[in-house]
Amino acid sequence: MQFLVQMKIVAQGRATSPEARITLVENYIFPSLEVCRKPQEKAGMPGELIVI
């Protein structure tokens, strides 16, 4: 099973420095993806998560 996840970040939330980008990915994007994966794992479904 495949899921397509599209995340849009408003202009005010876009990071400008490389350090800020890393922080954004670690604190926002990775946790959001984990929320998507948990129900799939709980149901025992094999699958793939695609992020664009």
Side-chain angles (χ1 to χ4, degrees):
M1 180 179 285
Q2 292 184 345
F3 295 94
L4 176 63
V5 176
Q6 183 175 5
M7 300 174 76
K8 293 187 179 186
I9 302 169
V10 296
Q12 296 86 354
R14 291 199 177 118
T16 55
S17 70
E19 294 85 9
R21 290 180 186 145
I22 291 170
T23 301
L24 175 70
V25 169
E26 291 176 345
N27 294 331
Y28 177 72
I29 295 175
F30 286 162
S32 298
L33 294 176
E34 281 303 312
V35 169
C36 295
R37 285 188 185 113
K38 284 184 183 181
Q40 178 183 354
E41 290 173 2
K42 189 175 181 180
M45 296 184 306
E48 184 177 351
L49 185 64
I50 300 170
V51 180
I52 54 172

